[in-house]
Each structure stands twice: as structure tokens, then as C-alpha cells.
Amino acid sequence: MARYDRAITVFSPDGHLFQVEYALEAVRKGTLAVGVRGKDCVVLGVEKKAAAKLQDPRTMRKIHMLDEHVCLAFAGLTADARVLVNKARVECQSHRLTLDEPASVEHITRYVAGVQQKYTQSGGVRPFGISTLIVGFDADGVPKLYQTDPSGTFSAWKANATGRNSKTVREWLEKNYEEAEGDDAVTLAVKALLEVVEAGGKNIDVAVMTKEGLNFVKQEKLEEIIKAVEAEAEEKKKTGGASGSA
Amino acid sequence: LLRARGCSARRRHAIMSSAECCFGAAFKDFVLVAADKSQIFSIIVQKTDEDKVSVIDDDKLLACVGPTGDRENFTGYVGKNLALYKFRNGMKLSTRAAGNFIRSELATALRKGPYQVNMLLGGCDEGVGPELYWFDYLAAMHKVKYAAHGYAANFCLSLLDKHYREDMSVDEAMDLMDMCFAQIRNRLVVSPPNFLVKIVDKDGCRLLAHRDERTVVH
């Protein structure tokens, strides 16, 4: 009879939880996810993994709706994300059922982070190999962006990135972030993504969460935004080069 | 999601709730569902504006009569499960599927701690059209053109038998509802004073009308 009482995540002599750190490595290998908080919206952008020829790309969603007002994007193991997203969805409805009001974004984040932490302190299980970006609007109408990671910590952010090359993107955001409205926030998120992702509407997916709900940015509009961003970058290069040579 | 089970006060409530009524009919393009609005405890009228027709999905109405605890608990439970299905699968449950889910939950609880609720499910699916399902607290489910619950059923069913036509317009259907309300008020010894009617059609659910005779003054 197998016994599941042996912990997999145990402390190392110098106080590290290696399993959690390895999980963070798995996250670093996952495709990029970016979250940007605007004045009246929150934008989630993800790098789309190249779909195989025979694969239907519509079934490879990285942005998941948890409830009418909360949405999650992740970086890391897709299957682990599926499990956490499912648990979070049940928690959203359970909260609505017992309290007759939508769960706050913080409540859901706390719940997801709590689940992730539980799996670092339970027998026979390994930590989830994903970091999540949870976005949404509370009843107060203020946009929120939170991040959780495999250790179970969570915090609120104005803008953040997770997954491969996230450090570069985060540094870019630290330099260039400003609280924008509507389309400007979307442009900011796209710019952040394009720092490390190959330009092209097929490679990125962007969704905007407003008070009214979640909307995926359509392919055509995305291409437009990318063109505009690229044109702006070209302009900067030209003027930068001219002033340099003068 | 725990439920406290069984006791004699609830049995008393269940008996009293046959004074509550709900009835409805499915027409070619829409479903009308009506229910009374009285909330009674023993001999006291607590409220005359209780909404017993809950919107459990964008395109589904669940009229539910019975002890308030069971009513709110069960309709809330059904509604949240329909929402969970929507988020998990990216699409709504059909009216028929939702009906079967409801029946299945009633049946599972039946021989443990039954939900003492009598219900009508009205829904309008794309491609299928308007449908009406009748449930009773013993977990029976029937797809029907029109149906009723409570003592009022004695009057409503006769009127619906005589006057129902599938191709009625909304106004004609409301006239039929008004005929039913009139007889309930006429003939039932303790009839609920107030009713509401909700409609489901291809554009979703909405409140159609109130029919108030007497309200509790606060």
C-alpha cells in the first residue's frame, strides 16, 4: 500500500526549498505573459506558442476567465494551470453562492496562492509549475493586477511579466510604465511584449478587462497596433540616428 | 456547501407553501413564467414582493415555490453550477441539459434530505426555441407546453387547457395570465395578493409585469 505521508518539498540545510525553486525554473521556461494596469482597464498579453500545422490554435488559450470580472494568465506548465484555473473557478462560484456577491480579485488571488502554498507543504505532491497573473475589477470599480508564484506568495502590481525573458520585460516596464487609459494601455502591453517576442499578430494574444468584462483584441486590430508600434520605433531610430550624426 | 437537514418546522412550511403558486406556458417565440410574491410565516405576511422566479442563466428562468430556505438554497446552487459550467467549457448548458441537471440533483437529495421545491424551468435556446419543464419535489421532470404548481393549479390548468394556443402574442399570453390571476384571487380562500410575470425569449430574460393587489406597508 503506497503511503503519501512523505513530503517531497523539504528544506535544504541552507534554508532553501529546492522543489519550489525548480518550479520557478519551469516557470522561466514557459511562454511570456504580461499584465499592465491602466486607469480604467487591465491588459493581459501572452506570447503564443507556435502551433503545429495540424493543431487548432484556438484550443491553446493562455488567458482564462475565472468569473465575469476576474481573469487569469499564466506562465509555466499548462496542465498545472488547468488544475488551478478549475479550482479557482469553483471558488469563484462558491463565494457567490455563500456570500451572494462576486469574489474580490484579491480574494481569488489569495485563494490561488493558498492552493499553491499548500502543495509546497503536503505529502506526496509537488508544487504547481506556474506563476499566474490575475486581473480584474472589484465592486469598487478599481482595476487590479496580482501575481502569484509556485511558492504561494502573491502581491499586487501596476505592471508585471512572467515566463521567459520576463526580467527584460519587467525592466522595460519599470522604465516605460505610465498609468494609461483604454487603447494606450493596450499599446503599452503590446510594446512590452514586442521587446522579446517576434512581431506578428500570430505570435501574441491580448485581452482587455474592463468594468464591463473581458474582451480579446481581434487579430486585425492587433496587427494595426503592432504596425503602429513598429512605425513609432522606426521613427525613433531615424530621429535618433540623425541627431547622433549631427 | 453544507445543508442542514430535516425538522418539523420545515414540514409545516412545506404544507403552507401549497398556498404559493407558480405557473407558466411556452409559446412559439417565448416562455412566460409567473409566480406569486408572498412570503408568509405561520399567520404573518412578511413580504408581498418576494421574487420567486430566479434568473439562473442568461436565457433560463427557474420559478420555484416551497420553504424559503430550500428555495433560495437550491436555485442559488443550480445557478452557480450553470455559471461554473459556462466558465469551464466556454459555452452555456442547453435548457434541456440544465433541466436534467436539476432533476438529477433533486433525485440525489431525495432519499437523504429532499429539497421541498416545486419548480418550472423556462428557457429559450438558439436553434431549439422556447421550452418549459415542470419539476416536483419528488424529482419528477416533464417537458410541457404549460403547467402549474400549488392549489392555484386547480384553476390555472383548466384555463390554460381551454385558452392556450402556441401562436399567441405576448399581449394575448399576458391576457391569459391575467385570467388565471383573476380566478386565483376569486376562488382561493387564502390567495396570494401579488404576482409577477417574467419572460424568456431569444433576447434573454426580463421582468414582464407585476400584478399587485395589496402590499405590506413598511
Side-chain angles (χ1 to χ4, degrees):
Chain A
M1 190 178 66
R3 283 201 283 159
Y4 296 101
D5 56 357
R6 188 66 60 87
I8 290 176
T9 310
V10 288
F11 279 112
S12 69
D14 60 347
H16 288 228
L17 288 171
F18 278 125
Q19 281 303 303
V20 173
E21 292 182 15
Y22 299 158
L24 279 155
E25 269 305 311
V27 170
R28 260 173 238 128
K29 292 216 164 34
T31 50
L32 180 72
V34 170
V36 171
R37 197 181 77 194
K39 275 210 192 89
D40 57 351
C41 66
V42 201
V43 185
L44 276 176
V46 295
E47 176 191 357
K48 272 204 289 219
K49 208 168 86 163
K53 258 202 187 152
L54 295 171
Q55 200 173 31
D56 185 348
R58 290 172 305 174
T59 58
M60 293 201 312
R61 272 269 133 86
K62 268 188 51 149
I63 301 176
H64 300 277
M65 275 205 79
L66 301 182
D67 202 347
E68 307 283 345
H69 63 299
V70 192
C71 180
L72 177 151
F74 68 95
L77 274 47
T78 315
D80 284 7
R82 205 174 54 224
V83 171
L84 264 182
V85 164
N86 189 40
K87 281 185 203 266
R89 282 174 173 154
V90 174
E91 173 62 18
C92 282
Q93 294 309 314
S94 184
H95 188 282
R96 277 185 189 258
L97 185 58
T98 36
L99 296 136
D100 199 24
E101 59 177 42
S104 66
V105 186
E106 203 241 352
H107 175 97
I108 292 300
T109 309
R110 193 182 290 274
Y111 174 79
V112 170
V115 174
Q116 286 182 291
Q117 192 281 338
K118 214 184 303 180
Y119 279 65
T120 68
Q121 211 180 5
S122 297
V125 298
R126 61 160 176 80
F128 287 93
I130 68 166
S131 283
T132 72
L133 290 172
I134 299 178
V135 303
F137 276 82
D138 289 340
D140 58 10
V142 178
K144 305 262 172 25
L145 166 65
Y146 287 89
Q147 188 206 35
T148 73
D149 64 22
S151 67
T153 50
F154 72 94
S155 51
W157 292 75
K158 289 186 191 146
N160 202 357
T162 174
R164 60 177 177 227
N165 302 313
S166 58
K167 189 151 168 286
T168 316
V169 178
R170 203 175 306 116
E171 282 167 3
W172 184 92
L173 282 167
E174 278 173 14
K175 277 198 215 103
N176 295 285
Y177 174 79
E178 35 178 48
E179 215 187 5
E181 266 185 44
D183 278 348
D184 292 333
V186 178
T187 312
L188 190 62
V190 171
K191 277 189 193 160
L193 273 167
L194 292 180
E195 282 291 306
V196 296
V197 180
E198 203 189 302
K202 287 198 208 74
N203 303 324
I204 62 176
D205 218 358
V206 179
V208 187
M209 177 70 100
T210 58
K211 250 184 267 191
E212 283 74 48
L214 184 75
N215 276 308
F216 282 89
V217 177
K218 289 208 169 54
Q219 206 59 358
E220 304 92 51
K221 183 149 188 236
L222 206 52
E223 298 279 3
E224 274 175 40
I225 298 176
I226 294 174
K227 269 205 197 99
V229 166
E230 286 183 324
E232 202 188 311
E234 281 294 312
E235 277 299 306
K236 270 216 187 99
K237 240 190 269 172
K238 273 191 214 145
T239 53
S243 60
S245 59
Chain B
L1 302 164
L2 302 167
R3 304 171 338 240
R5 287 283 110 210
C7 81
S8 57
R10 278 183 62 250
R11 219 167 291 136
R12 235 180 297 133
H13 261 231
I15 297 164
M16 276 308 296
S17 55
S18 40
E20 296 177 1
C21 66
C22 67
F23 59 95
F27 300 90
K28 196 158 63 82
D29 299 318
F30 60 94
V31 185
L32 284 191
V33 179
D36 75 292
K37 294 199 292 186
S38 56
Q39 168 67 16
I40 297 169
F41 182 77
S42 159
I43 56 164
I44 300 294
V45 177
Q46 291 176 314
K47 297 174 75 180
T48 48
D49 57 358
E50 178 80 353
D51 186 352
K52 297 181 192 173
V53 185
S54 42
V55 180
I56 51 168
D57 205 347
D58 302 324
D59 56 355
K60 298 179 191 62
L61 290 173
L62 189 60
C64 186
V65 292
T68 312
D70 279 351
R71 192 164 43 79
E72 303 236 353
N73 204 341
F74 191 71
T75 54
Y77 178 65
V78 169
K80 303 314 185 256
N81 270 287
L82 293 185
L84 185 58
Y85 184 92
K86 213 170 45 172
F87 286 110
R88 271 187 178 145
N89 300 286
M91 56 186 237
K92 287 191 286 238
L93 268 175
S94 64
T95 310
R96 188 171 147 244
N100 280 96
F101 169 71
I102 289 169
R103 192 214 65 81
S104 148
E105 288 299 313
L106 288 171
T108 306
L110 183 62
R111 290 176 200 275
K112 295 179 187 149
Y115 290 104
Q116 286 168 335
V117 289
N118 294 313
M119 298 179 292
L120 287 172
L121 171 70
C124 195
D125 297 335
E126 211 183 293
V128 179
E131 289 183 318
L132 182 68
Y133 290 87
W134 178 98
F135 303 83
D136 77 1
Y137 70 102
L138 295 168
M141 177 181 89
H142 296 292
K143 182 166 180 295
V144 290
K145 287 210 195 81
Y146 52 84
H149 280 294
Y151 286 133
N154 294 312
F155 316 110
C156 296
L157 286 174
S158 312
L159 284 163
L160 288 162
D161 277 339
K162 177 92 181 165
H163 296 290
Y164 168 86
R165 275 179 6 251
E166 205 187 338
D167 59 356
M168 282 173 135
S169 69
V170 178
D171 289 328
E172 288 171 324
M174 262 320 289
D175 288 338
L176 182 50
M177 298 280 129
D178 281 327
M179 264 191 256
C180 296
F181 295 142
Q183 289 315 309
I184 295 169
R185 290 190 171 122
N186 229 347
R187 288 294 186 179
L188 210 43
V189 61
V190 193
S191 78
N194 301 338
F195 300 89
L196 59 65
V197 185
K198 289 195 182 173
I199 184 172
V200 201
D201 58 17
K202 58 173 173 49
D203 300 323
C205 315
R206 58 194 177 283
L207 174 70
L208 191 57
H210 288 283
R211 291 286 187 258
D212 293 346
E213 200 180 53
R214 181 176 90 233
T215 46
V216 167
V217 180
H218 290 278

